[in-house]
Amino acid sequence: MSQSYLSQKLLNMSESATLLMAQKARELGNTGVDVISLSLGEPDFDTPDYIKEAAKKALDDGFTKYTPVPGLMELRQAICAKLKRDNNLNYTPKEIVVSNGAKQCIANTCLALLDEGDEVIIFTPYWVSYFHIVKFAGGKPISLYAGLDQEYKVSPEQLEEALTDKTKLIIFSSPSNPTGSVYSKSEIEALAKVISKRSGLFVIADEIYEYITFEDKNTSIAQFEGMKDKTITINGMSKGFAMTGWRLGYMAAPQWIASACTKVQGQFTSGANAFGQKAAVTALKAPPSDQDYMKEKYKERKKLLKKLLDEIDGIKTNNPEGAFYFFPNIAAFFGRTNGKRIIHNADEFVDILLDEAHVAAVSGTSFGDPNSFRISYATSNERLIEAMARIKKVLGEYK
Ligand SMILES: Cc1ncc(COP(=O)(O)O)c(C=O)c1O
C-alpha cells in the first residue's frame, strides 16, 4: 500500500541481482545446507596489516573529524603520485575527488554531467550499477553489446556506429566486471581515437580492478592524445587492496568536472571517512607489488577454474585476463530438462545451480547478457573444485 508513495525514479530501479543472490544463498545456508557462494564481487583476502595499522594510528592521532569534501590534501597528492607512477597520468589535487567508494564517484559524475535524455553508451556485458545510476541521474542507458566471440570487448567500429548526436557519456570497465576481459593497450588506443574526435563526449574509465591483471598491465585511456579533457578515471581501494568495507574510491578528471562532483558530494555525504583516508595514503604510497600475492592467487584459481569449466559439456567460457570473474555462455542448456525441471534461461539456470548443486552464481541477465552467468572465484581452490564437481553432476542430469 505504502509502495504507492515511492518515487517513480525508485520504482524504475531494480534491486542488485548480486545482492539478491547472496541473500538467497544465505537463506539456504541458514537451513543447514553447505552453500558455496560464487556470487559476490569481493576479495576473500583481508586488508593487509600495514594498512590497518595506519588506520589505527590515524584514529589515535585524532583523524576523527570531517575532511575537506574532495578528500585530505595528503591523500589527493598521493593519488596524483600513484597516477603518475602506475598510469602515466599527470594530475593535480584539484582534479581529484575522494568518495565513499568508486561507486559514489560514478554516481557523482553521472549526477554532475547528465541531463534528462542524454544518451550514455554502456559497454555490455556491464557492471549492474552503471545502468541504474545512469537512469537515476536522468540519462538514457544505451547498451553496446560485445559477445564471447569478441572476448566481450567492444570494437572501435561498433562504438563509432553507436554514437549519436545525443551521446554524452561512455562507460566501461577494464579489467571488466562481469567478464574479466582486459582491453589491450592498442585496443584502448583505438577506442580513444574514436572518442577524441567528438566534442561534448566524455568517458568514465572504471579501473577499479587495475591491479588484478594476469597478462598485460592495465592501460588508462586518459593518457592518449585528446583524452585527458574527456576522461573521468575511476579507481578505489576495494579490489586491489581488499578494502571493500572501508568505502574509499577516487576519481581523476578535468578540474571543472572534479569541482562539480565535489559540489554534489558536499550536499550528499560531505566526503569519505577521515582515518580511512589516512590509511589509503599509506596504501597508495607502498609499491603495488606488495599486493601481488593476491593477484598470484587469483591467477592460479583462474587457471584451475578454466580447466574445470572446460570439462563441463555445454559450457562455453572465455579466458579472462583480469579481475576475478568468469562469464561463461550457457545457451546450450536452454531447453534441456532433468525430467522434472526445464532450463529456459539464465535466471532459471542459476536457480537450479543454487537449488540442486547448492552453488550460488549470478545470472547474466542483470549484466545485460541473457545467455551467460557470472562466477566469482574470490574463494579457495578447495571450494572451487567442490563447486565445479557439484555443478558438473547436476548439469549432467539435464539432457
Ligand atoms: C566495475 C566495478 N566498479 C566499481 C565497483 C564499486 O567499487 P567500490 O567498492 O569502490 O564502490 C565495483 C564493485 O563491485 C565494480 O565491480
Side-chain angles (χ1 to χ4, degrees), residues 40-42 99-106 126-127 129-130 172-178 206-209 234-239 243-245 247-250 324-325 374:
L40 267 186
E42 176 156 50
S99 303
N100 299 292
K103 204 176 228 177
Q104 196 198 355
C105 301
I106 298 163
Y126 47 71
W127 178 50
S129 294
Y130 297 152
F172 75 100
S173 60
S174 175
S176 157
N177 177 5
D206 183 345
E207 301 182 2
I208 188 93
Y209 294 94
I234 304 283
N235 209 327
M237 311 307 292
S238 286
K239 315 290 175 171
M243 291 172 69
T244 45
R247 309 310 304 125
L248 280 170
Y250 58 88
F324 38 69
Y325 306 107
R374 189 190 75 173

Side-chain angles (χ1 to χ4, degrees), residues 63 65-72 270-275 277:
F63 281 86
K65 305 266 196 269
Y66 290 129
T67 68
V69 174
L72 289 171
S270 300
N273 87 79
F275 52 92
Q277 290 188 51

Side-chain angles (χ1 to χ4, degrees), residues 103-144:
K103 204 176 228 177
Q104 196 198 355
C105 301
I106 298 163
N108 284 345
T109 307
C110 289
L111 289 166
L113 284 184
L114 298 178
D115 271 323
E116 210 61 42
D118 284 340
E119 289 181 3
V120 180
I121 292 180
I122 303 180
F123 289 8
T124 306
Y126 47 71
W127 178 50
V128 273
S129 294
Y130 297 152
F131 207 84
H132 294 288
I133 291 172
V134 165
K135 278 214 303 203
F136 208 74
K140 185 173 168 202
I142 307 286
S143 164
L144 183 56

Side-chain angles (χ1 to χ4, degrees), residues 62-196:
F63 281 86
T64 56
K65 305 266 196 269
Y66 290 129
T67 68
V69 174
L72 289 171
M73 178 52 84
E74 189 189 0
L75 176 55
R76 284 181 287 144
Q77 282 166 341
I79 291 167
C80 292
K82 180 256 173 248
L83 290 168
K84 177 100 200 105
R85 181 191 65 195
D86 300 344
N87 311 91
N88 194 26
L89 297 174
N90 288 302
Y91 281 95
T92 61
K94 284 189 177 150
E95 298 164 305
I96 307 293
V97 184
V98 177
S99 303
N100 299 292
K103 204 176 228 177
Q104 196 198 355
C105 301
I106 298 163
N108 284 345
T109 307
C110 289
L111 289 166
L113 284 184
L114 298 178
D115 271 323
E116 210 61 42
D118 284 340
E119 289 181 3
V120 180
I121 292 180
I122 303 180
F123 289 8
T124 306
Y126 47 71
W127 178 50
V128 273
S129 294
Y130 297 152
F131 207 84
H132 294 288
I133 291 172
V134 165
K135 278 214 303 203
F136 208 74
K140 185 173 168 202
I142 307 286
S143 164
L144 183 56
Y145 180 74
L148 180 58
D149 54 328
Q150 49 191 106
E151 294 171 48
Y152 298 116
K153 292 193 261 189
V154 167
S155 70
E157 294 78 25
Q158 270 183 295
L159 177 59
E160 181 97 57
E161 205 166 299
L163 292 172
T164 74
D165 295 347
K166 295 203 180 96
T167 314
K168 183 146 190 201
L169 190 63
I170 294 164
I171 309 185
F172 75 100
S173 60
S174 175
S176 157
N177 177 5
T179 66
S181 293
V182 180
Y183 284 81
S184 69
K185 187 167 183 184
S186 58
E187 287 164 342
I188 291 274
E189 190 168 12
L191 293 173
K193 282 212 172 98
V194 175
I195 299 166
S196 60

